[in-house]
Amino acid sequence: DGGITQSPKYLFRKEGQNVTLSCEQNLNHDAMYWYRQDPGQGLRLIYYSQIVNDFQKGDIAEGYSVSREKKESFPLTVTSAQKNPTAFYLCASSISGSGYTFGSGTRLTVV
Amino acid sequence: AQSVTQLGSHVSVSEGALVLLRCNYSSSVPPYLFWYVQYPNQGLQLLLKYTSAATLVKGINGFEAEFKKSETSFHLTKPSAHMSDAAEYFCAVSGVLGGNEKLTFGTGTRLTIIP
């Protein structure tokens, strides 16, 4: 079955560390997105990509980086510059007019 | 620009009672509108979508929503609540992001079902 796979489900980061969250889709969707979710704040867009080798900043890109070397993959790196990284991270993909398909999320905690 | 407002961050209903979750939108173009559901520690799942074909949209799990242009609303309803409906619900409106679709989400409504 087609879908989006996010890994790991839970991730712990030490202060000053970079960590990478994986997102893979087999839906043949062109567009992919990363959102951050905090209690009471809904979903905030971090980065998005419409085609391979191209991506744009969303509303809260500072302290994050992405790459899009393959259509199927859109990994997110949370850098040490992100001062408050503890959150639930959601990856999504879309094809025009159909809304988004979401992965099951990665919960990142700073220890 | 598009935006959505969900009225009520928390809603509680008794099992078997009507569920009504409110969503108002703002859009400079005819909108596409969506409702998503999220269970704890999971991603969002599409409940239903409005894409201008019919104003009353039926979705999964017995939910439906009615698009009312005059009221700029897209409220979600279910005639009889079930314990399994307890979750967080997000309304979203579609805009255009560099030629592709961008969804703007509301802040969510947490639904609690009272036995």
Side-chain angles (χ1 to χ4, degrees), chain B residues 62-75:
Chain B
F63 284 94
E64 62 182 36
E66 186 172 8
F67 173 72
K68 292 187 176 181
K69 184 178 179 180
S70 60
E71 299 177 9
T72 62
S73 69
F74 190 57
H75 301 331

Side-chain angles (χ1 to χ4, degrees), chain A residues 9-10 31 33 35 37 40-43 45 48 50 59 88 90 94-95 97-100 102-104 107, chain B residues 32 34 36 38 41-46 49 51 88 90 97-108:
Chain A
K9 191 170 179 65
Y10 298 95
Y33 313 81
Y35 282 88
Q37 186 177 22
Q41 297 193 45
L43 280 71
L45 182 64
Y48 64 97
Q50 295 168 280
D59 301 319
F88 191 52
L90 287 163
S94 75
I95 190 164
S98 298
Y100 289 5
F102 282 86
S104 56
R107 186 165 297 281
Chain B
Y32 286 5
F34 304 81
Y36 286 86
Q38 184 181 35
N41 292 312
Q42 294 187 26
L44 278 67
Q45 179 184 4
L46 182 65
K49 63 181 179 182
T51 57
E88 189 152 21
F90 291 91
L97 188 66
N100 251 6
E101 177 179 59
K102 176 192 176 185
L103 291 190
T104 300
F105 291 86
T107 52

Side-chain angles (χ1 to χ4, degrees), chain A residues 22-25 32 67-75:
Chain A
S22 172
C23 177
E24 304 277 335
Q25 55 104 353
M32 297 187 73
S67 64
R68 187 86 186 275
E69 297 177 0
K70 299 185 300 181
K71 187 175 185 178
E72 302 78 21
S73 179
F74 191 42

Side-chain angles (χ1 to χ4, degrees), chain B:
Chain B
Q2 283 77 28
S3 67
V4 291
T5 301
Q6 292 185 240
L7 300 176
S9 58
H10 292 84
V11 171
S12 296
V13 301
S14 298
E15 190 175 14
L18 172 71
V19 175
L20 171 60
L21 304 183
R22 300 177 185 273
C23 173
N24 288 89
Y25 71 90
S26 172
S27 179
S28 54
V29 298
Y32 286 5
L33 293 158
F34 304 81
W35 274 100
Y36 286 86
V37 61
Q38 184 181 35
Y39 298 99
N41 292 312
Q42 294 187 26
L44 278 67
Q45 179 184 4
L46 182 65
L47 272 178
L48 50 80
K49 63 181 179 182
Y50 166 77
T51 57
S52 77
T55 57
L56 183 62
V57 182
K58 294 186 184 299
I60 62 172
N61 301 339
F63 284 94
E64 62 182 36
E66 186 172 8
F67 173 72
K68 292 187 176 181
K69 184 178 179 180
S70 60
E71 299 177 9
T72 62
S73 69
F74 190 57
H75 301 331
L76 182 71
T77 61
K78 182 174 180 178
S80 177
H82 191 273
M83 295 301 294
S84 61
D85 296 326
E88 189 152 21
Y89 293 80
F90 291 91
C91 182
V93 62
S94 176
V96 177
L97 188 66
N100 251 6
E101 177 179 59
K102 176 192 176 185
L103 291 190
T104 300
F105 291 86
T107 52
T109 297
R110 184 168 301 278
L111 177 64
T112 299
I113 310 298
I114 303 166

